[in-house]
Amino acid sequence: MKTDRLETAVPAGVDLHQYTRSLVRVHEAVLSGQQPPVPPRPLIRQSWGRARTQGVDPDRGGDCRQASAGEVERRRAACGLTDEALLALRTGLVPAAQSAGHIVVIVDADGRVLWRDGHAGVFRLADRLGFVEGASWAEHAVGTNAIGTALVEDRPVQIHSAEHFVRAHHTWTCSAAPIHDAADGRLLGAVDISGPAETVHPSTLALVHAVAGLAEARLREAHRTRLDRLRAIAAPLLAKVDGQALVTDRHGWVAVSTGLPPIDRVALPERADAEQVWLPAFGTCSLEPLPEGVLLRPRGERSVAGTRLVLDVGSARPTLTVHRESGTWTYPLSGRHADILVHLAANRSGHSAAELAEHLFADRTRTITVRAEMSRLRKRFSDLLDHRPYRFLRDLDITVAA
């Protein structure tokens, strides 16, 4: 799970009632355009700013249609959470939630509530709030909240009382953590514990974070099983291949290779023709589809001269498209990776880790997170990115489509 720290909502040792009242004063001051008595947490300030920009009404929330029962079932089937992952979430959180007077909520990557469990009395409170299966708890729908903000920030988040953007949510406290697919790292959704504001506890965030990690471990186990199955199919095939070759699953995880240094994963494009593909790690490769995977053979063409990149950040799902004489291929990007690449495209001389941290988080000290993200990017696009400083290679022609 991607996080370098857990930031609880209530500082240790404060009087809870007094602190909660102070949050209300901060909320009212900020929304009325006045100087607050103390600044909100940076996480909250940024989220409130997004909610205001997106037109969320602090009294009524946003206007978002509740999904039908049929749509909820379709989303459950498509969300990517296996039965084993769901079992880990439920067994790890529901007993604690019931005893503490909380509910457990699981949402998909869009913030749609897919499952609820926990304390029956809190269910009734949630029903009156519209916090029900099929509801959207994304930031653009209901403003700052642990679920929606955790999905945007892609890290565990705890929100208490008047840190919520919508006033009707001020009687609640929530802790949520994102869940990622083991195969491609994409965000699948989030798990949340919510309850009355007076039940806030710092350990709740750590519990949700830990159990989300257990669910991700179950997803990794399922992915390893699929990769083992592909390896059993591919090993006899590669034994007959001369020269360099590798077999990967459809997410680029290497099942078996021959004539190549050990590598765990290659960056497969989202779209490719049936005969060849350009991989940042190997250059142009021939491609042959296999059951549950692909056979790749490097052709040795690795120069970036004449390569044109298009960063498309104007749609809901950002992409990087690589145009070469031999073909065009498109790679999906996470929101944070798209933000980094757009910033590097606008600053071709490059940035240090501290400078990127300032851009991403308004905090130059968060260099550990930056280096981890850049390591992931350079593993995927090693032939496009340089480091010391972090930047695109000079010979690339880059266009940003917003």
Side-chain angles (χ1 to χ4, degrees):
M1 175 173 295
K2 303 177 197 175
T3 182
D4 59 338
R5 59 178 177 171
L6 293 179
E7 182 183 290
T8 56
V10 179
V14 301
D15 179 277
L16 178 60
H17 295 292
Q18 183 177 344
Y19 184 73
T20 302
R21 287 194 297 270
S22 73
L23 289 177
V24 174
R25 291 193 292 271
V26 170
H27 182 273
E28 293 305 315
V30 171
L31 265 62
S32 63
Q34 300 175 4
Q35 184 69 27
V38 293
R41 291 190 286 158
L43 171 80
I44 302 302
R45 173 177 51 79
Q46 294 163 9
S47 179
W48 286 356
R50 290 192 294 266
R52 299 179 78 171
T53 300
Q54 293 162 345
V56 178
D57 188 323
D59 290 313
R60 295 182 298 126
D63 183 14
C64 187
R65 176 188 61 84
Q66 181 178 333
S68 66
E71 183 179 348
V72 169
E73 286 301 321
R74 288 191 292 274
R75 286 176 174 270
R76 286 174 173 174
C79 72
L81 293 174
T82 64
D83 290 342
E84 292 79 10
L86 289 171
L87 181 62
L89 294 173
R90 288 184 170 127
T91 57
L93 294 177
V94 172
Q98 288 175 328
S99 64
H102 290 163
I103 58 173
V104 175
V105 175
I106 302 171
V107 304
D108 64 12
D110 294 327
R112 290 283 180 180
V113 177
L114 301 184
W115 291 277
R116 296 191 316 172
D117 208 337
H119 194 279
V122 182
F123 271 170
R124 291 189 289 272
L125 297 175
D127 290 345
R128 291 199 290 269
L129 195 66
F131 195 17
V132 297
E133 289 180 358
S136 173
W137 232 245
E139 271 196 348
H140 66 79
V142 296
T144 305
N145 70 95
I147 290 171
T149 305
L151 292 175
V152 171
E153 294 285 337
D154 198 12
R155 65 183 176 103
V157 169
Q158 186 175 51
I159 304 293
H160 174 62
S161 186
E163 290 186 324
H164 290 89
F165 185 76
V166 177
R167 293 183 176 91
H169 303 167
H170 288 186
T171 56
W172 287 77
T173 186
C174 342
S175 302
I179 303 170
H180 301 88
D181 191 334
D184 60 6
R186 67 189 171 95
L187 185 63
L188 300 180
V191 61
D192 166 83
I193 286 185
S194 292
E198 61 270 18
T199 63
V200 65
H201 197 282
S203 66
T204 306
L205 183 62
L207 174 63
V208 172
H209 172 49
V211 174
L214 288 176
E216 291 184 341
R218 299 295 179 269
L219 293 172
R220 285 193 294 274
E221 290 170 5
H223 177 245
R224 282 195 293 269
T225 298
R226 294 192 300 270
L227 205 59
D228 287 342
R229 186 166 57 243
L230 177 60
R231 186 174 294 113
I233 296 171
L237 174 64
L238 281 197
K240 303 174 183 178
V241 172
D242 292 328
Q244 297 179 330
L246 64 161
V247 172
T248 77
D249 68 7
R250 294 190 176 96
H251 302 288
W253 289 98
V254 178
V256 62
S257 66
T258 182
L260 292 167
I263 185 171
D264 292 329
R265 189 181 184 189
V266 296
L268 288 182
E270 187 176 51
R271 297 186 296 274
D273 58 42
E275 297 181 354
Q276 62 182 8
V277 64
W278 182 84
L279 301 182
F282 300 106
T284 303
C285 300
S286 63
L287 179 150
E288 180 181 338
L290 299 174
E292 298 188 35
V294 293
L295 169 64
L296 298 162
R297 302 188 196 190
R299 294 174 53 186
E301 301 173 14
R302 299 190 61 179
S303 171
V304 298
T307 299
R308 184 168 64 88
L309 308 182
V310 176
L311 278 162
D312 183 357
V313 293
S315 57
R317 193 182 187 196
T319 59
L320 171 65
T321 300
V322 180
H323 297 273
R324 295 173 57 84
E325 291 183 2
S326 54
T328 296
W329 301 279
T330 299
Y331 302 81
L333 299 170
S334 68
R336 179 168 293 176
H337 284 177
D339 188 3
I340 291 172
L341 294 181
V342 168
H343 192 63
L344 293 180
N347 299 271
R348 296 299 297 273
S349 60
H351 276 307
S352 66
E355 289 168 335
L356 279 176
E358 175 69 26
H359 167 71
L360 292 171
F361 312 112
D363 182 353
R364 293 177 66 89
T365 67
R366 293 186 63 179
T367 55
I368 293 176
T369 303
V370 168
R371 291 192 179 100
E373 296 292 358
M374 288 306 304
S375 176
R376 296 184 185 102
L377 275 170
R378 295 189 72 244
K379 284 180 180 178
R380 295 190 67 195
F381 306 115
S382 59
D383 276 10
L384 304 178
L385 294 169
D386 202 352
H387 68 301
R388 298 180 183 174
Y390 296 118
R391 61 184 176 183
F392 278 106
L393 296 181
R394 298 184 186 280
D395 293 338
L396 295 169
D397 177 10
I398 305 172
T399 301
V400 177

